[in-house]
């Protein structure tokens, strides 16, 4: 019996993956609910298009994270409105800005997070937690720097005292030597 044709069919099926297998009853084709790649990607996301809600906001968050200072300044200029989605987009941009912008980002996230669509709230809450974590870390770094500066001052004062005590000890030793002579 020649197994070569059977092995060749198995190899082709294995290499081709599941595409060549017949569709099983009860299974459906790929879900049609996902938006096409070209349909989403608004430069500035909003709360209006539910199909593009997560893709647009994730893309905007990544752009904010990767963007340079100039990009963020341009975006902040474009996000001067007071709608909830503009304020939330401003929070995202500020969250990835410099340390001085983190407080404002946190305030905006906290003020408007509950007004965002429910599907978007976990992502926005994650970004809020992220900026809060960086703020806390920054606070700990500042506190540690203050403690370090205080310890360095204390060390300098102790070094001066040690030098003074060493000088006194040398004077005492010199007097004892002169008294012994």
């Amino acid at each position: 019996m020649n197994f070569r044709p059977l092995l060749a069919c198995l190899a082709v099926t294995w290499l081709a993956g599941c595409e060549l297998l017949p569709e099983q009853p009860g299974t459906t084709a790929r879900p049609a609910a996902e938006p096409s790649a070209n349909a989403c990607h608004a430069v500035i996301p909003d709360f209006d298009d539910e199909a593009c809600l997560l893709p647009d906001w994730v893309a905007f968050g990544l752009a904010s994270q990767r963007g340079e200072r100039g990009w963020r300044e341009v975006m902040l200029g474009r996000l001067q409105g007071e709608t909830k989605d503009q304020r939330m987009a401003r929070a995202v941009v500020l969250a990835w800005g410099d340390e001085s912008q983190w407080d404002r980002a946190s305030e905006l996230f906290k003020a408007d997070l509950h007004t965002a669509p429910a599907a978007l709230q976990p992502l926005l809450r994650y970004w809020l937690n992220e900026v809060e974590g960086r703020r806390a870390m920054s606070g700990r770094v500042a506190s540690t720097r203050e403690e370090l500066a205080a310890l360095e001052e204390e060390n300098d004062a102790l070094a001066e005292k040690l030098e003074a005590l060493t000088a006194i000890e040398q004077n005492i030793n010199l007097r004892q030597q002169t008294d012994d002579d």
Side-chain angles (χ1 to χ4, degrees), residues 58-171:
V58 167
F60 186 72
L62 289 172
S64 297
Q65 183 179 6
R66 295 176 183 151
E68 296 176 355
R69 183 180 191 164
W71 181 90
R72 279 191 283 280
E73 287 174 5
V74 168
M75 276 298 140
L76 288 173
R78 292 176 67 183
L79 292 167
Q80 291 302 314
E82 288 301 317
T83 64
K84 301 296 182 190
D85 50 5
Q86 286 175 325
R87 288 170 47 94
M88 196 57 62
R90 197 162 52 242
V92 172
V93 172
L94 291 169
W96 294 108
D98 59 37
E99 223 173 300
S100 65
Q101 296 174 323
W102 296 349
D103 290 339
R104 183 69 182 134
S106 177
E107 290 170 12
L108 288 169
F109 275 127
K110 289 176 182 176
D112 293 326
L113 191 131
H114 68 284
T115 65
L120 190 58
Q121 286 185 12
L123 177 65
L124 297 174
R125 191 173 320 281
Y126 173 79
W127 285 336
L128 169 62
N129 291 340
E130 181 72 25
V131 78
E132 288 295 325
R134 281 186 271 130
R135 286 177 64 207
M137 183 75 68
S138 175
R140 285 192 299 271
V141 167
S143 174
T144 301
R145 284 184 181 145
E146 290 171 4
E147 289 174 16
L148 180 61
L151 288 173
E152 285 174 347
E153 285 180 26
E154 184 181 350
N155 189 34
D156 291 343
L158 289 173
E160 287 178 23
K161 287 179 183 179
L162 182 60
E163 285 179 28
L165 288 173
T166 301
I168 292 170
E169 183 183 18
Q170 286 175 346
N171 282 336

Side-chain angles (χ1 to χ4, degrees), residues 24-42:
Q24 297 294 321
T27 62
T28 60
R30 295 192 176 105
E34 295 210 17
S36 72
N38 295 334
C40 298
H41 302 303

